[in-house]
């Protein structure tokens, strides 16, 4: 048995000394363009749920665009959990690529970034639109997926899990809720 001697073509690392658990979540984005700095290219989103920003282990995530045959070492989008209102801890523990959920002409891939606690969860959607959903329900947002266009309005709905939700009086029974993108608050 020979040890693996294959060298990585690109190695991404956190961009600050406060990064912790960089790479705990990763999502490939076929085409990511946000409202600010990401100009539209294939990208990789990387979570750092243990990053210390405002408070210890606030978390955060970064989006690294494609550059040449690899990915840029400089992120085009970097969000610290300390700047995210409502929940302290481990933001970026989950990142999900949602595809073009808002059905925009740019075919932009949106991402859902979430964090959970024993009492509540927070899901933020980033891309050509910014949306935020903060729900007081244990472990809300553990999984977020593009659920397709249920209602035929031209934009996809999100299916968001909450495996410890109280249902019919039973604790930790769990649930999956479907949300219309248009009904989720904008997060400007």
């Amino acid at each position: 048995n020979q040890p693996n001697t294959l060298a990585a073509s690109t190695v991404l690392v956190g961009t600050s000394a406060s990064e912790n658990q960089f790479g705990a979540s990763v999502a490939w984005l076929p085409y990511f363009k946000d409202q600010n700095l990401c100009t539209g290219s294939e990208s990789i989103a990387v979570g750092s749920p243990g990053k210390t920003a405002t408070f210890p282990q606030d978390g955060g995530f970064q989006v690294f665009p494609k550059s040449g045959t690899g990915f840029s070492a400089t992120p085009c989008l970097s969000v610290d959990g300390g700047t995210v209102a409502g929940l302290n801890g481990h933001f970026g523990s989950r990142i999900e690529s949602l595809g073009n959920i808002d059905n925009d002409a740019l075919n932009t891939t949106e991402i859902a970034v979430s964090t959970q606690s024993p009492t509540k969860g927070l899901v933020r959607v980033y891309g050509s639109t910014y949306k935020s959903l903060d729900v007081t329900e244990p472990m809300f947002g553990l999984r977020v997926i593009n659920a397709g266009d249920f209602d035929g309005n031209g934009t996809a709905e999100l299916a968001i899990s909450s495996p410890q939700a109280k249902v019919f009086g039973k604790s930790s029974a769990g649930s999956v809720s479907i949300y219309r993108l248009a009904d989720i608050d904008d997060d400007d």
Side-chain angles (χ1 to χ4, degrees):
N1 287 333
Q2 293 287 329
N4 186 351
T5 57
L6 180 65
S9 62
T10 302
V11 176
L12 299 173
V13 296
T15 57
S16 74
S18 64
E19 298 289 346
N20 272 323
Q21 300 172 342
F22 180 83
S25 57
V26 179
W28 173 69
L29 312 173
Y31 183 83
F32 186 78
K33 179 178 173 81
D34 75 343
Q35 298 171 352
N36 298 306
L37 302 173
C38 297
T39 58
S41 69
E42 187 175 350
S43 302
I44 291 181
V46 181
S48 300
K51 180 178 183 175
T52 297
T54 305
F55 301 101
Q57 296 187 342
D58 278 339
F61 78 97
Q62 298 172 327
V63 175
F64 296 88
K66 188 171 183 178
S67 175
T69 60
F71 288 89
S72 171
T74 304
C76 62
L77 177 64
S78 184
V79 177
D80 292 332
T83 63
V84 176
L87 195 63
N88 292 335
H90 306 288
F91 186 66
S93 59
R94 301 272 185 206
I95 298 178
E96 306 287 345
S97 178
L98 300 173
N100 185 19
I101 58 172
D102 62 356
N103 201 22
D104 65 4
L106 300 173
N107 202 27
T108 303
T109 303
E110 274 75 27
I111 55 173
V113 182
S114 63
T115 187
Q116 300 77 38
S117 79
T119 58
K120 65 193 255 179
L122 174 71
V123 174
R124 290 257 170 117
V125 176
Y126 294 88
S128 61
T129 184
Y130 290 143
K131 300 282 189 172
S132 182
L133 194 58
D134 187 356
V135 174
T136 304
E137 193 170 274
M139 301 302 288
F140 176 80
L142 187 63
R143 290 296 311 238
V144 180
I145 66 164
N146 176 336
D149 186 5
F150 274 39
D151 60 9
N153 71 349
T155 61
E157 280 69 50
L158 297 178
I160 303 177
S161 72
S162 186
Q164 293 182 0
K166 187 174 186 176
V167 180
F168 302 119
K170 182 180 176 196
S171 295
S172 298
S175 69
V176 174
S177 301
I178 309 297
Y179 292 90
R180 291 179 52 223
L181 189 63
D183 293 339
I184 300 174
D185 292 337
D186 286 335
D187 184 40
D188 298 322

